[in-house]
Amino acid sequence: MTTLYDIQNLTFTVPGRTLLDDVKLSVPAGKVTGLIGHNGSGKSTLLKLLARQITPTSGTIAFHGQSLPDWNARKLARRLAYLPQHLPTAEGLLVRELAALGRYPWHGPLGRPGPEDQNAIDAAVTACGLDGLADRRVDTLSGGEAQRAWLAMLIAQEADCLLLDEPISALDIVHQVEVLNLVHKLSHDSGRSIIVVLHDLNMAARFCDHIVALRGGTVAMQGTPTDLMNPTELQSIYGANMEVLSRADGTPIAHPN
């Protein structure tokens, strides 16, 4: 199995508090990896560290075998795309214009977009099922449509790794499934590596190939959804008694006793 990220002895502190403590982790490439755990367990902090948005207090992160701080900024932006939980405003932007912002690492602020850029934008819009909405303003779309438009921006960037911080947190259940189906398809159809922070462990078990569970800033478990979905493991992660059942399609679902 190819490694996307190799993380060793990673610690991140703020005054008076340790948010991540001596994290050791290997994240597989070409898979959908779900980061789960309680609020305050360190999920978003870890994702920001992987995106090089913040700097660790101590420890190392290697991305594709190279120390993350050593990556040239433009080369990193061509390999790695990050979508934060709280998105900037897209007021007045058309879907196609938002997707076009993903091409910035390829032509820079002064470069003129060429045919390759347009092809990448068109492909991203199509991949996200937005052909019929490409000329609509993003701020007029439904929540699920808008989230797909932001994903189109990341796909137009042509990065082989996407980092998504709670992309379904503001969506209803129908749009949650719609967005996670798209995330799963993006990975499995093209071999993209996707790391996604999720609150809902059942969604994580359903749509992710690999699970990393954090508790109190440390790794509580890492493995497959099958490894996760057993009462003993869930008790150790969430501190609650859980019952695990199976859906009609055989996928597991957990709920508190």
Side-chain angles (χ1 to χ4, degrees):
M1 180 175 65
T2 305
T3 298
L4 175 70
Y5 280 101
D6 182 61
I7 301 162
Q8 297 296 326
N9 308 110
L10 187 67
T11 297
F12 184 80
T13 62
V14 295
R17 189 176 173 199
T18 298
L19 301 182
L20 291 170
D21 185 17
D22 198 31
V23 170
K24 300 179 182 69
L25 194 59
S26 179
V27 179
K31 305 289 185 182
V32 181
T33 296
L35 296 182
I36 66 168
H38 285 295
N39 286 342
S41 60
K43 304 184 299 296
S44 293
T45 299
L46 178 56
L47 201 71
K48 288 176 183 176
L49 287 162
L50 299 183
R52 210 166 74 174
Q53 298 291 306
I54 55 177
T55 302
T57 303
S58 62
T60 62
I61 304 173
F63 176 65
H64 283 299
Q66 181 178 337
S67 175
L68 189 58
D70 292 344
W71 277 83
N72 169 272
R74 176 166 287 190
K75 287 182 178 179
L76 184 64
R78 292 179 176 184
R79 301 293 303 273
L80 179 64
Y82 168 64
L83 195 66
Q85 179 183 356
H86 302 293
L87 297 171
T89 180
E91 186 175 355
L93 280 179
L94 304 181
V95 168
R96 187 180 301 280
E97 291 172 336
L98 178 60
L101 295 178
R103 298 305 298 165
Y104 179 84
W106 296 93
H107 57 67
L110 302 178
R112 184 182 297 274
E116 288 186 1
D117 298 295
Q118 192 56 58
N119 290 340
I121 294 164
D122 291 343
V125 169
T126 297
C128 292
L130 294 169
D131 285 313
L133 301 173
D135 295 317
R136 282 270 303 275
R137 283 173 40 180
V138 176
D139 54 9
T140 68
L141 302 179
S142 71
E145 291 166 345
Q147 198 70 329
R148 285 191 281 132
W150 283 101
L151 286 172
M153 182 189 73
L154 267 62
I155 295 165
Q157 192 172 328
E158 293 188 308
D160 58 25
C161 175
L162 309 183
L163 305 180
L164 312 176
D165 193 354
E166 298 193 37
I168 63 170
S169 62
L171 304 180
D172 61 44
I173 184 66
V174 172
H175 289 117
Q176 288 180 11
V177 171
E178 173 188 287
V179 168
L180 289 180
N181 267 321
L182 174 59
V183 167
H184 190 270
K185 179 177 172 62
L186 289 173
S187 175
H188 285 243
D189 286 359
S190 63
R192 281 186 182 89
S193 306
I194 299 178
I195 303 176
V196 54
V197 173
L198 294 170
H199 268 301
D200 189 324
L201 71 93
N202 290 314
M203 289 292 193
R206 182 176 175 185
F207 291 103
C208 298
D209 307 301
H210 187 75
I211 301 291
V212 175
L214 297 178
R215 182 171 186 180
T218 63
V219 176
M221 71 82 62
Q222 56 178 311
T224 67
T226 302
D227 296 331
L228 168 70
M229 297 298 270
N230 71 78
T232 301
E233 200 69 70
L234 294 172
Q235 166 73 36
S236 72
I237 296 166
Y238 292 99
N241 292 323
M242 298 268 197
E243 183 178 8
V244 179
L245 305 173
S246 293
R247 293 186 177 91
D249 63 2
T251 57
I253 182 169
H255 63 84
N257 277 332

